[in-house]
CSV table of all heavy atoms in Angstrom, one decimal:
chain,number,residue,atom,x,y,z
A,470,CYS,N,-22.1,-6.2,-75.6
A,470,CYS,CA,-21.4,-6.1,-76.9
A,470,CYS,C,-22.4,-6.5,-78.0
A,470,CYS,O,-23.2,-7.4,-77.8
A,470,CYS,CB,-20.2,-7.1,-77.0
A,470,CYS,SG,-19.5,-7.2,-78.6
A,472,LYS,N,-21.9,-7.8,-80.8
A,472,LYS,CA,-21.6,-9.1,-81.3
A,472,LYS,C,-21.8,-10.2,-80.3
A,472,LYS,O,-22.4,-11.3,-80.6
A,472,LYS,CB,-20.2,-9.2,-81.8
A,472,LYS,CG,-20.0,-8.8,-83.3
A,472,LYS,CD,-18.6,-9.3,-83.8
A,472,LYS,CE,-18.0,-8.3,-84.7
A,472,LYS,NZ,-16.6,-8.2,-84.6
A,473,CYS,N,-21.2,-10.0,-79.1
A,473,CYS,CA,-21.1,-11.1,-78.1
A,473,CYS,C,-22.2,-11.1,-77.1
A,473,CYS,O,-22.3,-12.0,-76.3
A,473,CYS,CB,-19.8,-11.1,-77.4
A,473,CYS,SG,-18.4,-10.7,-78.5
A,512,CYS,N,-15.1,-4.4,-75.9
A,512,CYS,CA,-15.5,-5.7,-75.6
A,512,CYS,C,-14.2,-6.6,-75.3
A,512,CYS,O,-13.4,-6.7,-76.2
A,512,CYS,CB,-16.3,-6.4,-76.7
A,512,CYS,SG,-16.6,-8.1,-76.4
A,514,LYS,N,-14.0,-9.7,-75.3
A,514,LYS,CA,-14.0,-10.9,-76.1
A,514,LYS,C,-13.6,-10.6,-77.6
A,514,LYS,O,-12.7,-11.3,-78.1
A,514,LYS,CB,-15.4,-11.5,-76.2
A,514,LYS,CG,-15.6,-12.6,-75.1
A,514,LYS,CD,-16.9,-13.3,-75.5
A,514,LYS,CE,-17.3,-14.3,-74.4
A,514,LYS,NZ,-18.7,-14.8,-74.5
A,515,CYS,N,-14.2,-9.6,-78.2
A,515,CYS,CA,-14.0,-9.4,-79.6
A,515,CYS,C,-13.2,-8.1,-79.9
A,515,CYS,O,-12.9,-7.9,-81.0
A,515,CYS,CB,-15.3,-9.5,-80.4
A,515,CYS,SG,-16.3,-8.0,-80.1
B,2,ZN,ZN1,-17.7,-8.6,-78.3
Side-chain angles (χ1 to χ4, degrees):
C470 169
K472 265 197 222 151
C473 317
C512 172
K514 264 193 187 165
C515 71

